[in-house]
Amino acid sequence: MATTKRKGGASGSERTNPRVWLYSILLTLQYGAQPLISKHFTRREVIVTTSVLTCEVAKVACAVILMARDGSLKKVFSQWTLVGSLTASGLPAAIYALQNSLLQISYKNLDSLTFSMLNQTKVFFTALFTYIILRQKQSIQQIGALFLLITAAVLLSIGEGSSKGSSSSDPEQILFYGIIPVLVASVLSGLASALCQWASQVKKHSSYLMTVEMSVVGSLCLLASTTKSPDGEAIRQYGYFYGWTPLTMIPVLANALGGILVGLVTSYAGGVRKGFVIVSALLVTALLQFLFEGKAPSMYCLVALPLVMSSISIYQKYPYQVKKKES
């Protein structure tokens, strides 16, 4: 029991650590803006695999620069082993590579707020896999906060279901190329997040090193898939940068920054709290959608957003506490 008590005690420092708040705010802004950035700067002709691969390369470059800047680069790579890398990063890397491809497909077939609302369901799957893998329990109040979040998601679903603004008018295309890909991506995200938290907190793996390893493994998986995939055929026929413009790098770099921040937030605050940070990006998405697309939030959205904020507050305020056994 003494070893598990650390989880309850750590939560207080996570809430007051300025670094956690900084990373969380930056991640919220990035996640909230990403759907609009991708929609406005990525042409539909762009081959999905090329944007994902370029993003992975950008993440590696950013992580290496950050490690060199904080002086940990030489030490980290001198202690690196192939077995340790595959154990900590191999499976999450493959999962995240598939997740990123699914998200890229979904971006193009859902409006921004619907995408963000469905994408935030990853917090439930993260909580589930965190319990299965790390045995990290939730308090009664935290379970209540999750139900508040479910209620908010249902309200947002109703509101978006009656509104226009999807990038496609074909219901089957929206379902199979929009809704299903983002929901599968959420399940995969929950599993990968729990595995990353295990590697970071149990195996003490560096967050930046994990980013590099996962990007390299994920890129190799994607490159292997291009031998048979339609994207691979399109790259061979039209070229790697088909449909690209200089502005295409904006969403690619923004997504790379998000990947770095996800690793940092997971390492410092845990996967479930990272999920709540991502849910709060709904506020940013709704605001940006109103400012840049002139689409006012529905009444359902206005009711749901306070529920999202309340659930975040409750979850942070009432962490699970391990009860001491009385002799």
Side-chain angles (χ1 to χ4, degrees):
M1 298 297 288
T3 56
T4 58
K5 190 174 181 180
R6 181 187 61 82
K7 295 176 184 175
S11 61
S13 61
E14 288 166 2
R15 291 197 302 270
T16 57
N17 189 338
R19 185 174 293 182
V20 171
W21 281 109
L22 174 62
Y23 295 151
S24 299
I25 291 170
L26 290 175
L27 183 59
T28 299
L29 294 173
Q30 186 273 326
Y31 259 82
Q34 189 67 45
L36 278 80
I37 293 173
S38 294
K39 181 177 291 186
H40 285 283
F41 295 110
T42 303
R43 297 170 59 187
R44 294 185 66 86
E45 294 83 4
V46 171
I47 302 168
V48 171
T49 299
T50 63
S51 61
V52 175
L53 280 172
T54 307
C55 177
E56 297 303 321
V57 172
K59 279 195 280 189
V60 170
C62 290
V64 170
I65 291 171
L66 289 170
M67 282 191 288
R69 185 173 178 272
D70 67 17
S72 64
L73 181 63
K74 187 174 181 180
K75 178 182 178 182
V76 164
F77 281 99
S78 67
Q79 297 175 349
W80 183 87
T81 63
L82 179 60
V83 174
S85 172
L86 293 175
T87 301
S89 306
L91 182 57
I95 293 173
Y96 274 131
L98 177 58
Q99 178 213 355
N100 283 334
S101 293
L102 290 171
L103 289 178
Q104 292 292 330
I105 294 170
S106 184
Y107 278 149
K108 298 180 179 180
N109 294 282
L110 290 176
D111 66 273
S112 301
L113 193 56
T114 300
F115 173 86
S116 291
M117 181 273 295
L118 293 174
N119 193 36
Q120 58 85 19
T121 59
K122 65 182 68 178
V123 70
F124 304 107
F125 299 111
T126 301
L128 174 63
F129 287 116
T130 300
Y131 173 73
I132 293 173
I133 296 173
L134 295 170
R135 311 306 297 176
Q136 183 173 312
K137 299 180 180 180
Q138 313 294 322
S139 68
I140 296 298
Q141 293 91 337
Q142 287 177 322
I143 293 173
L146 291 176
F147 277 107
L148 276 180
L149 209 61
I150 292 173
T151 303
V154 170
L155 288 172
L156 285 166
S157 298
I158 295 172
E160 287 304 302
S162 61
S163 65
K164 297 180 181 179
S166 297
S167 52
S168 172
S169 58
D170 183 358
E172 287 192 3
Q173 181 173 343
I174 292 173
L175 175 62
F176 291 107
Y177 294 94
I179 294 174
I180 290 178
V182 72
L183 287 177
V184 174
S186 293
V187 175
L188 295 176
S189 175
L191 174 59
S193 181
L195 290 172
C196 288
Q197 186 175 339
W198 170 81
S200 176
Q201 297 181 355
V202 178
K203 302 292 288 184
K204 304 299 181 185
H205 220 57
S206 163
S207 170
Y208 294 138
L209 179 59
M210 282 190 66
T211 297
V212 172
E213 292 171 339
M214 290 170 60
S215 293
V216 170
V217 174
S219 297
L220 292 175
C221 291
L222 275 177
L223 287 172
S225 73
T226 58
T227 59
K228 298 291 184 180
S229 69
D231 274 10
E233 181 63 31
I235 291 172
R236 288 187 288 273
Q237 183 175 355
Y238 301 110
Y240 185 89
F241 291 106
Y242 177 74
W244 280 61
T245 68
L247 295 178
T248 308
M249 284 302 299
I250 295 176
V252 168
L253 293 175
N255 214 5
L257 173 63
I260 298 288
L261 291 170
V262 164
L264 291 170
V265 172
T266 301
S267 178
Y268 281 95
V272 177
R273 285 178 174 80
K274 179 206 73 176
F276 272 85
V277 167
I278 293 172
V279 172
S280 65
L282 281 169
L283 296 166
V284 178
T285 300
L287 176 61
L288 293 177
Q289 195 166 255
F290 173 67
L291 291 175
F292 294 102
E293 296 182 352
K295 183 179 178 182
S298 67
M299 182 60 66
Y300 295 101
C301 179
L302 295 176
V303 174
L305 291 179
L307 295 179
V308 173
M309 291 187 291
S310 297
S311 67
I312 294 170
S313 176
I314 293 171
Y315 194 92
Q316 293 279 51
K317 190 174 180 181
Y318 300 101
Y320 177 79
Q321 300 290 344
V322 178
K323 295 181 180 178
K324 295 180 179 180
K325 287 186 177 180
E326 294 185 8
S327 55

